[in-house]
């Protein structure tokens, strides 16, 4: 296990990738803190220096699914997306609900990770979904898209069934990454 206690990094990333992730995490925290402190109005998630500028992706997950969410985050980042996950990107001392709401308002995609464990959850996970649905209701389909991401054999909850989902049992995460990149490109052209 590495010195930060992130066992998942040891399993899924090389030493160089671990150092790059740590550096990007620190840069993102500094940038997010600057944005958070500078304004109470939603601001776009800015690109990280030295990193590809790609569609902004908010990842909502139940704590029981954190390891899978971390892996998905790393694969999205590697694939050219700009993922946001509270574990990596929520600034220390930030008000969770305010920061999550701000990020959801300016993101291109909200990924809602669904599993047997998440379907039984309440609290922050359900709050993030409710916020995403409220934002999506106000915006048109090109501004914020919700993508249910089924991690196991679960079904998509009824309130998310109006959105086209992605099933990891059928295709690997790199197909999701390619689809999100392609979806954003088709909106621009």
């Amino acid at each position: 296990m590495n010195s930060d206690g992130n066992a998942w990094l040891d399993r899924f990333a090389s030493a160089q990738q671990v150092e790059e992730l740590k550096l990007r995490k620190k840069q993102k925290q500094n940038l997010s803190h600057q944005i958070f402190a500078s304004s109470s109005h939603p601001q776009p998630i800015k690109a990280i220096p030295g990193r590809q500028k790609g569609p902004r992706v908010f990842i909502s997950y139940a704590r029981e699914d954190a390891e899978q969410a971390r892996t998905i985050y790393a694969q999205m980042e590697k694939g050219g997306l700009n993922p946001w996950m509270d574990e990596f990107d929520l600034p220390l001392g930030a008000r969770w609900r305010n920061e999550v709401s701000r990020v959801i308002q300016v993101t291109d995609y909200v990924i809602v990770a669904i599993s047997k464990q998440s379907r039984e959850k309440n609290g922050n996970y359900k709050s993030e979904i409710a916020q995403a649905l409220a934002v999506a209701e106000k915006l048109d389909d090109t501004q914020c898209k919700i993508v249910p991401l089924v991690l196991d054999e679960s079904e998509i909850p009824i309130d998310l069934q109006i959105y086209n989902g992605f099933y990891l049992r059928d295709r690997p995460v790199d197909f999701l990454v390619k689809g999100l990149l392609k979806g954003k490109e088709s909106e621009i052209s």
Side-chain angles (χ1 to χ4, degrees):
M1 184 179 291
N2 67 39
S3 61
D4 289 342
N6 291 325
W8 71 273
L9 283 175
D10 293 331
R11 288 197 305 262
F12 297 109
S14 70
Q16 181 180 356
Q17 289 172 320
V18 169
E19 291 307 312
E20 288 173 3
L21 276 172
K22 286 179 187 178
L23 177 61
R24 283 196 295 255
K25 178 181 175 182
K26 186 175 181 178
Q27 289 173 329
K28 285 171 103 178
Q29 285 177 334
N30 290 340
L31 182 60
S32 186
H33 179 69
Q34 290 169 0
I35 293 169
F36 181 76
S38 68
S39 173
S40 61
H41 300 290
Q43 299 291 325
I45 304 169
K46 297 183 180 176
I48 307 296
R51 183 171 157 206
Q52 287 183 343
K53 198 176 191 179
R56 299 161 301 208
V57 181
F58 178 90
I59 302 171
S60 179
Y61 63 98
R63 290 288 168 226
E64 293 80 2
D65 300 322
E67 189 165 332
Q68 276 186 285
R70 289 182 200 113
T71 302
I72 291 164
Y73 178 99
Q75 289 177 314
M76 286 182 170
E77 199 168 50
K78 181 180 175 187
L81 296 172
N82 191 2
W84 192 98
M85 187 172 149
D86 61 350
E87 186 173 298
F88 296 117
D89 303 304
L90 185 65
L92 292 175
R95 293 183 180 185
W96 174 87
R97 191 172 307 276
N98 293 347
E99 184 70 0
V100 165
S101 178
R102 182 193 68 77
V103 173
I104 288 173
Q105 290 178 44
V106 297
T107 196
D108 297 307
Y109 295 98
V110 175
I111 300 296
V112 179
I114 299 165
S115 69
K116 291 175 185 164
Q117 295 85 0
S118 70
R119 290 195 51 122
E120 298 171 6
K121 294 293 285 189
N122 288 313
N124 292 344
Y125 174 74
K126 295 284 183 174
S127 176
E128 288 175 0
I129 295 171
Q131 288 180 46
L133 289 170
V135 168
E137 190 70 29
K138 292 178 193 173
L139 302 174
D140 66 43
D141 287 341
T142 63
Q143 292 175 295
C144 177
K145 293 183 178 176
I146 297 175
V147 179
L149 173 62
V150 182
L151 304 176
D152 55 20
E153 299 299 315
S154 296
E155 294 298 320
I156 296 174
I158 193 104
D159 55 341
L160 295 172
Q161 287 180 2
I162 62 170
Y163 300 101
N164 188 20
F166 187 91
Y167 294 81
L168 284 180
R169 68 179 180 239
D170 298 334
R171 295 174 288 179
V173 174
D174 59 329
F175 279 82
L176 173 65
V177 171
K178 289 174 186 173
L180 295 175
L181 287 167
K182 183 179 177 184
K184 198 61 187 165
E185 287 172 7
S186 67
E187 292 169 15
I188 296 169
S189 28

